[in-house]
Amino acid sequence: MHRTSCVRHGRMRIAIKSACLVLILLLLPKTCSADNDNLLQGSTTTSSSSSSPKSPNLIVIMADDMGYGDAGFNGCRDIPTPNLDSIALRNGIRFTHAYVSSSMCGPSRAGFITGRYQDRFGFTSHPPTKPERVGGVPSTERTMAEALRESGVYGSAAMIGKWHLGAHTTSFPLDRGFDYFYGFLAGSSGYRRGKLMENRRTISVDKYLTDD
């Protein structure tokens, strides 16, 4: 059974499932490299000489263990999801018969980030979470970030949130096509006073991670 926590945001109490951990991939067009560097460094300033990107920014969001009824567009009433509802109902397309390739978070992420059935490259269970242990998506497989970079269209990529695709240097986000990483390598994390990583540096966070 999933534990449900409540986070207070302003006057609103938002219920969040403890098992629902999010991976966000942000891929930026190569034609706006100066602005992309500012964004990956956390700056909102842009270069006045930058031309308009020919391709849109690509943002991919993956949530672990998010049930069918956990979003407003599928009938949920106790957990507000207005932004997701906007994408699903007004500004996007709903795929009602699409399924992940595994019921486990690690393998499902491996299939998701490579676009291949993860059993074909031996990713059948959760990967090691200790840096000294080799494991994760093998180097023979291309990640989404690596494939899009090779296309020549997208020049920068960021990974924010839960990685869970291996903690060894051969599996680290910055070694698998991403330019920026902010999150954690393991399969879970506490909501408060947790340890996160920014690129290769470990940082301590003394607040709710969902507010960071």
Side-chain angles (χ1 to χ4, degrees):
M1 180 179 294
H2 300 307
R3 186 178 73 252
T4 300
S5 303
C6 288
V7 177
R8 186 174 296 278
H9 180 69
R11 296 182 178 179
M12 183 182 299
R13 293 176 72 249
I14 304 175
I16 300 177
K17 279 191 172 181
S18 62
C20 186
L21 299 169
V22 177
L23 160 72
I24 301 176
L25 308 180
L26 173 62
L27 299 116
L28 304 168
K30 196 172 184 179
T31 53
C32 234
S33 59
D35 291 349
N36 295 348
D37 291 341
N38 288 333
L39 181 56
L40 293 181
Q41 295 300 322
S43 171
T44 58
T45 60
T46 58
S47 171
S48 58
S49 60
S50 299
S51 58
S52 298
K54 295 179 180 179
S55 300
N57 292 339
L58 176 60
I59 301 175
V60 182
I61 303 174
M62 180 183 185
D64 275 358
D65 301 333
M66 184 173 180
Y68 178 87
D70 290 343
F73 59 85
N74 281 333
C76 181
R77 295 291 178 266
D78 59 332
I79 305 176
T81 57
N83 294 325
L84 293 179
D85 298 346
S86 173
I87 295 173
L89 300 177
R90 294 182 293 278
N91 301 307
I93 300 173
R94 294 179 65 192
F95 296 91
T96 58
H97 290 78
Y99 301 90
V100 295
S101 55
S102 174
S103 59
M104 299 174 67
C105 47
S108 68
R109 286 165 180 270
F112 177 78
I113 205 167
T114 61
R116 299 188 67 221
Y117 184 48
Q118 65 282 345
D119 281 32
R120 294 184 182 274
F121 49 86
F123 204 124
T124 58
S125 60
H126 293 319
T129 57
K130 295 183 178 180
E132 62 270 17
R133 294 186 58 189
V134 178
V137 177
S139 58
T140 54
E141 303 298 322
R142 289 190 308 169
T143 67
M144 184 187 305
E146 290 168 335
L148 289 171
R149 183 187 298 277
E150 291 171 10
S151 72
V153 177
Y154 289 90
S156 301
M159 210 302 293
I160 302 170
K162 173 184 170 181
W163 177 242
H164 206 199
L165 290 170
H168 191 262
T169 54
T170 57
S171 303
F172 199 78
L174 299 184
D175 299 308
R176 298 313 309 264
F178 294 95
D179 303 284
Y180 179 79
F181 171 55
Y182 184 77
F184 53 95
L185 299 173
S188 62
S189 174
Y191 279 122
R192 185 171 173 81
R193 296 180 181 176
K195 297 284 187 180
L196 295 179
M197 295 193 71
E198 184 170 24
N199 294 326
R200 301 185 191 277
R201 180 173 62 96
T202 301
I203 59 176
S204 298
V205 180
D206 189 21
K207 59 181 177 181
Y208 283 107
L209 303 188
T210 49
D211 292 339
D212 194 17

